[in-house]
Amino acid sequence: MTETNSILIKDTTVISEETKKASILIVDDTIQEISNSLTDDDAEKVIDGTNKITMPGLINTHSHVAMTLLRGVGDDQSLQTWLNDYIWPKEANLNEELVYLGSKLAMAEMIKTGTTTFNDMYFYVEETAKAVDESGMRAVLGYGMIDLFDEEKMKSELKVSEQLIKNCHNTCDNRITVAVTPHAPNTCSEELLIKSKHLAEKNNLKLHIHVSETKAEVETIAKDKGRTPFMYLDDIGVLDSDTIAAHGVWPTHDEMNILKEKEVSISHNPSSNMKLASGIAPINEYLKNEINVGIGTDGVSSNNNLDMFSEMKLTALLQKVNLLDPQVLPTKDTFKMATENGAKALGINSGVIQEGKLADLILVDTLVPHMVPIRNALTNIIYSSLGTDVDTTICNGKILYENKQLKTINEQEIIQEVSERAFEL
Ligand SMILES: [Zn+2]
């Protein structure tokens, strides 16, 4: 990792709330100054930003990063079959070392495709935390609690979450925060959901949960609880501005009002929703109701990669074709979802390039055939660019990737290890 304390990104095209030419000065972990009068003498390290677009690091608001180990498992199945017959039997064989390796591989992929922050829910989370520590990324990490309505299991799941909070919350220069993450309303008992919320409140943490992902889930909750999933969660006190609900594909009109009133954030996962044929989330409706929506990749075996550039494009195109209206989800709204809205959902002071914000940003190469000409830099980012166009990734003021070289992860070594070890599952 580069140990310089100040970095100047010189003469670059900045895309944030607006697009402009400027230079950016980073000091320690913060964006200190954005102007056209900065010179090479202002920083220890100078990055030439000519022919590059500089933008906020992308924020993945829903992931299970160690699932890189399960890339290619259970393709082309419905959510319930995919989980029961393919994913859960393999996850039963997970161990600390494999989760560490899978997480590390995911971080190599994320850093190379411009993601600086991810919001994760999985198992053996301290191993993912170790990989975050080493990679230099920023993450919100939670232990995916599933009790399947068993009281003893509920108690032991909560204990794991409590231990994780003790060991990992606000560690690694505050790059890691912990969230409480009960898996979903149809895999967790009512008591576990209520106790999860209490645990989150007691420690001032976010609560991250899958909700209203499939029609089958909505039907199960309606049968068991007499209400739709968001209604049920609201009745038991789970929903507020610290809740991040992944998916939200099937909200009713009344649920939409509750989400707005309680200021819940939604994580939209277009690839996963399409691949598992879960449905099309009403993103345009959410945004019209001023509900905060971020974008996520979900786990790799329902995607099958962690490239947030493709998620941005799919987010926009899916709404347009679903509503037969090309004007919905204009580029600035899609961009905001993957950056500023994600930061808001996770409670992180980033997501825009502004003085005083955390220095989480990326440089995208524009000297590639599919990015030329640049009539509108933002349009090229949403519709033309690929994650592999990212040239430099900076997180917390540290360079993690420069000139397409990873600085904190040995790429060849992790590729080789996961290629061999993933089959132990
Ligand atoms: Zn998920």
Side-chain angles (χ1 to χ4, degrees), residues 62-64 67 79 82 121 183 208-210 213 246-247 269 272 276 297-299 302:
H62 180 66
S63 64
H64 315 282
M67 286 184 89
L79 179 69
W82 175 77
M121 174 197 302
H183 179 261
H208 172 199
I209 181 171
H210 299 91
E213 180 172 359
H247 301 301
N269 305 276
S272 176
L276 297 168
T297 56
D298 210 349
S302 61

Side-chain angles (χ1 to χ4, degrees), residues 127-139:
E127 299 301 315
T128 302
K130 192 171 126 199
V132 172
D133 182 16
E134 293 166 3
S135 73
M137 288 188 78
R138 195 182 299 287

Side-chain angles (χ1 to χ4, degrees), residues 397-415:
K398 298 278 186 288
I399 299 171
L400 311 184
Y401 186 58
E402 187 178 19
N403 300 325
K404 297 195 180 286
Q405 296 297 316
L406 287 170
K407 300 290 178 187
T408 56
I409 297 173
N410 184 328
E411 187 175 348
Q412 288 316 313
E413 199 174 276
I414 193 67
I415 287 173

Side-chain angles (χ1 to χ4, degrees), residues 28-61:
D28 297 326
D29 61 0
T30 305
I31 298 170
Q32 174 146 317
E33 192 179 339
I34 304 163
S35 81
N36 287 305
S37 55
L38 288 158
T39 69
D40 288 9
D41 295 337
D42 291 317
E44 292 162 60
K45 160 96 184 170
V46 178
I47 295 172
D48 179 12
T50 326
N51 298 319
K52 306 270 195 307
I53 290 168
T54 301
M55 55 184 263
L58 297 168
I59 297 178
N60 184 342
T61 51

Side-chain angles (χ1 to χ4, degrees), residues 59-105:
I59 297 178
N60 184 342
T61 51
H62 180 66
S63 64
H64 315 282
V65 294
M67 286 184 89
T68 52
L69 297 162
L70 298 166
R71 202 186 308 265
V73 170
D75 287 330
D76 309 327
Q77 302 295 330
S78 74
L79 179 69
Q80 260 338 299
T81 311
W82 175 77
L83 276 176
N84 291 327
D85 300 349
Y86 294 88
I87 299 299
W88 284 344
K90 289 220 184 300
E91 284 181 339
N93 299 321
L94 280 171
N95 59 44
E96 280 92 343
E97 204 189 351
L98 288 173
V99 167
Y100 170 75
L101 293 173
S103 300
K104 201 76 180 269
L105 181 76

